[in-house]
Amino acid sequence: MLIKEFNIVKKNWREVDLKFALCYPSVYRVGMTCLAVHLLYELLNMRRNVLCERVFFEPYFNMRSVESNRVLSDFDVVGFSLQYEVDYVNFVRMLLSSNIPVYSRDRDDSHPIVIAGGPAVSSNPEPVAPLVDAIVIGELEPIIDDILNIFIDSEDRESCLDELMSVRGVYVPRNIYPVKRSWIKSLDDAHHAVAQIIPQVRSSSRFSPIFGRAFLLEVTRGCKWACKFCLEGFNYRPFRERSLHVIEEILDEGLRRTGVDKIVIIGSDASDHSELEDVCEYIVSSGLKISIPSMRAKVVDEKIIKLLVKGGQRTLTLAPETGSESLRHYIGKFLSNQDVIDAAKIAYSCGIRNIKLYFIVGLPNETEDDIKSIFDLARRVADVGFSFPRSVRLTVSIFIPKAHTPFQWYGLEDPSILRSRIKLLRRLCAGDRRIELRVMRLREAVIQAFLSRAGREAASLIVDAAKFGGSLSAWRRAEKIAKISIEREATSVKSLEDYLPWGHIEVA
Ligand code: SF4
């Protein structure tokens, strides 16, 4: 292997009772930026009788395990971390690469058990239900030992799946039945990955994780807020935070085990950690670099920004979602444009010279004026002092209705309207060189919106799209075969009486 990794674990295959392939259906660089991969790798390998190796959707590794160059079918269990719906196709392509039957019904005792987890399948597992043997709904920590014991002790596939059905938070989709989400009450009781794997590559390498050689530090889980479009806000409740003293212990141990000098704060609502300032102080006063990927505008203050700047952060990221205050209020985000401007002013006065703003187009009730308001807000932020070319970066996604959110009944906006609104935004931004615009691809949004609310009928499309190579044109071919209009399904508005494929999943 040409990539040297620090903290890689290699075990003797003859000395363990369970061989687990931890699969991430995207490239190495993306997978190694996912804290769940580090956590599962460590939790599984901590068990003396269990071996865990990583497999990425990475041409370099030819879809073989990083640790021993083995194919998926060599393992007893293959576990997939499915963070996003767009990963479903790669998940199937990974099974195909190893000649594992893609449908659960076609597997027997000679095949590995296929299990999946992650935000996308936790909120609506049905599109992949026929393709997996079991799905973890919610958080794995409270149930991981029960699951591993069942894998080890079961005589055969049938008894294993029967046993798994009795574990809270595990869904065995050969039957449809109510499943309650698994979640950990106190984050202080949840193991944190400390021996994170650090690739010994240059920052310019395509194998360098997105944040570089860094220690990923999860300080919160869930979110205090309830934006009506947000999967995180509704599927990972309640908001939980790690205590400062636990964070300090994790950092001390983590740095000793990894030897890196940069900490990336992880947590969808991390900036609401009640002791965030102390956490940053601890990191920066230890001479380490720090990065917080996104902050809530209202909590931005001088003290925290000065700490971030001292810790090497050069960009502040905020998520106003829209430029219109009335629309923002409607989507459940309680933030004024002045809050965004004030945060930008503080950041600029403290030495931040780049600002990144997340917006969404196609939100329910959005008008063309709301699109103009995105540009207006971006311009007002630039006027604060961000005057260099591309110093205000807009990352614009398209509203995707997500299961278990108050907006789950809305459809994706009509693609022709989306196209014209994106065009309008592009035209407005093109006139201001301080502003850079990146917009999600429309066809990807259509496929994602279809998958996020689909039922089991989507499985055959996913399989066909995978067999045809996984590209957007592959989806078109799959769509024709299935005689389904993905766009019509994605844009359909559901009524309160409509059947929801994810109705048996209880995330509350
Ligand atoms: S969008 Fe952000 S603030 Fe709103 S619920 Fe989601 S994670 Fe929380």
Side-chain angles (χ1 to χ4, degrees):
M1 190 179 84
L2 289 177
I3 306 171
K4 283 210 173 76
E5 294 179 311
F6 199 55
N7 286 330
I8 187 170
V9 178
K10 291 186 184 180
K11 289 190 180 179
N12 187 329
W13 275 58
R14 285 188 294 273
E15 289 173 3
V16 294
D17 299 324
L18 182 77
K19 297 172 274 294
F20 190 106
L22 173 56
C23 306
Y24 196 89
S26 187
V27 292
Y28 176 89
R29 166 172 202 262
V30 175
M32 292 303 289
T33 307
C34 176
L35 183 56
V37 169
H38 296 279
L39 176 65
L40 286 170
Y41 189 73
E42 188 164 310
L43 279 172
L44 289 159
N45 278 319
M46 271 163 60
R47 298 251 317 218
R48 194 186 38 78
N49 58 345
V50 177
L51 161 161
C52 172
E53 299 192 353
R54 292 156 298 148
V55 186
F56 298 97
F57 188 84
E58 169 66 65
Y60 177 80
F61 293 113
N62 211 8
M63 287 190 235
R64 286 168 170 265
S65 71
V66 176
E67 284 74 6
S68 69
N69 198 32
R70 284 187 166 82
V71 294
L72 291 185
S73 51
D74 289 342
F75 291 82
D76 302 312
V77 179
V78 294
F80 284 86
S81 173
L82 297 176
Q83 304 282 316
Y84 314 102
E85 291 86 359
V86 288
D87 293 338
Y88 294 170
V89 164
N90 286 353
F91 146 64
V92 172
R93 292 177 77 190
M94 289 176 83
L95 293 180
L96 288 168
S97 76
S98 187
N99 291 326
I100 297 174
V102 291
Y103 286 97
S104 169
R105 60 171 184 256
D106 297 330
R107 292 179 208 127
D108 58 30
D109 282 329
S110 68
H111 300 114
I113 299 276
V114 177
I115 187 167
V121 287
S122 282
S123 75
N124 178 17
E126 290 308 304
V128 295
L131 313 176
V132 290
D133 301 315
I135 301 180
V136 173
I137 306 291
E139 297 167 3
L140 190 62
E141 290 103 329
I143 53 175
I144 188 164
D145 280 326
D146 292 343
I147 295 175
L148 291 176
N149 290 340
I150 291 171
F151 285 148
I152 291 167
D153 296 339
S154 301
E155 305 252 303
D156 55 25
R157 159 179 291 269
E158 279 304 299
S159 59
C160 176
L161 297 183
D162 283 347
E163 284 279 316
L164 284 173
M165 276 180 68
S166 65
V167 180
R168 181 190 166 122
V170 179
Y171 177 36
V172 179
R174 60 185 178 176
N175 298 314
I176 298 180
Y177 56 96
V179 185
K180 283 191 163 65
R181 173 174 68 109
S182 151
W183 57 281
I184 190 136
K185 292 205 167 49
S186 161
L187 214 46
D188 283 349
D189 296 336
H191 181 81
H192 193 291
V194 283
Q196 295 177 18
I197 308 153
I198 309 294
Q200 306 297 299
V201 293
R202 288 172 197 270
S203 57
S204 57
S205 161
R206 73 181 176 94
F207 298 113
S208 176
I210 290 164
F211 300 116
R213 285 167 42 86
F215 183 82
L216 307 174
L217 176 70
E218 185 195 42
V219 296
T220 61
R221 204 176 284 182
C223 180
K224 276 185 181 171
W225 310 95
C227 306
K228 294 177 195 163
F229 61 87
C230 180
L231 187 147
E232 287 281 338
F234 288 88
N235 286 256
Y236 286 87
R237 288 176 165 187
F239 174 77
R240 289 147 288 165
E241 61 176 40
R242 278 197 165 90
S243 316
L244 180 62
H245 74 275
V246 176
I247 289 174
E248 289 176 359
E249 281 167 22
I250 291 167
L251 276 173
D252 292 347
E253 182 64 5
L255 293 170
R256 193 179 66 74
R257 305 276 291 267
T258 59
V260 297
D261 65 354
K262 180 178 173 186
I263 310 296
V264 178
I265 305 273
I266 303 286
S268 46
D269 191 17
S271 61
D272 272 314
H273 190 290
S274 59
E275 294 173 297
L276 184 68
E277 210 169 283
D278 296 318
V279 174
C280 295
E281 182 81 57
Y282 188 78
I283 294 169
V284 175
S285 63
S286 309
L288 300 164
K289 294 191 200 111
I290 189 170
S291 172
I292 300 186
S294 171
M295 291 192 77
R296 204 160 61 80
K298 278 193 180 184
V299 301
V300 170
D301 67 23
E302 213 169 274
K303 211 163 171 197
I304 201 120
I305 297 294
K306 278 187 173 158
L307 278 168
L308 295 180
V309 170
K310 198 170 167 198
Q313 183 151 333
R314 295 288 170 260
T315 301
L316 174 70
T317 303
L318 304 171
E321 320 292 5
T322 169
S324 148
E325 288 186 348
S326 57
L327 182 58
R328 199 179 296 128
H329 195 264
Y330 177 68
I331 64 173
K333 190 143 203 167
F334 299 99
L335 187 74
S336 69
N337 283 346
Q338 195 55 48
D339 292 328
V340 178
I341 307 291
D342 289 345
K345 278 185 184 158
I346 293 170
Y348 188 79
S349 70
C350 295
I352 295 272
R353 290 295 174 263
N354 289 298
I355 197 152
K356 193 169 171 184
L357 302 173
Y358 288 129
F359 289 103
I360 305 175
V361 296
L363 284 163
N365 286 355
E366 180 190 85
T367 64
E368 222 171 78
D369 281 345
D370 296 324
I371 301 296
K372 291 178 190 155
S373 72
I374 294 178
F375 174 65
D376 282 345
L377 180 57
R379 204 176 43 182
R380 285 177 67 193
V381 166
D383 288 345
V384 162
F386 297 94
S387 51
F388 285 106
R390 298 190 298 279
S391 50
V392 179
R393 280 179 260 150
L394 311 192
T395 299
V396 178
S397 58
I398 293 169
F399 164 69
I400 311 281
K402 295 283 181 181
H404 299 289
T405 66
F407 281 176
Q408 66 183 352
W409 290 277
Y410 282 105
L412 180 85
E413 180 58 279
D414 182 329
S416 62
I417 294 177
L418 285 171
R419 225 170 268 121
S420 83
R421 293 200 176 150
I422 291 167
K423 200 171 160 193
L424 170 64
L425 190 57
R426 282 196 197 284
R427 189 162 49 76
L428 291 168
C429 293
D432 192 327
R433 45 200 275 285
R434 300 169 301 175
I435 298 171
E436 181 189 71
L437 178 65
R438 281 187 194 172
V439 187
M440 178 185 194
R441 288 208 288 176
L442 182 52
R443 182 64 184 164
E444 264 172 28
V446 173
I447 294 169
Q448 209 188 116
F450 163 64
L451 291 174
S452 71
R453 298 190 304 164
R456 295 187 176 201
E457 72 286 351
S460 68
L461 273 98
I462 297 170
V463 171
D464 283 342
K467 284 182 178 164
F468 297 141
S471 63
L472 295 181
S473 63
W475 273 99
R476 272 193 201 97
R477 285 175 71 185
E479 193 177 8
K480 273 192 194 137
I481 292 170
K483 296 191 173 64
I484 286 180
S485 164
I486 289 179
E487 190 173 305
R488 194 173 55 234
E489 298 294 325
T491 54
S492 69
V493 177
K494 293 188 185 294
S495 78
L496 290 178
E497 290 75 41
D498 277 344
Y499 164 75
L500 302 176
W502 55 92
H504 56 295
I505 304 298
E506 298 174 25
V507 298

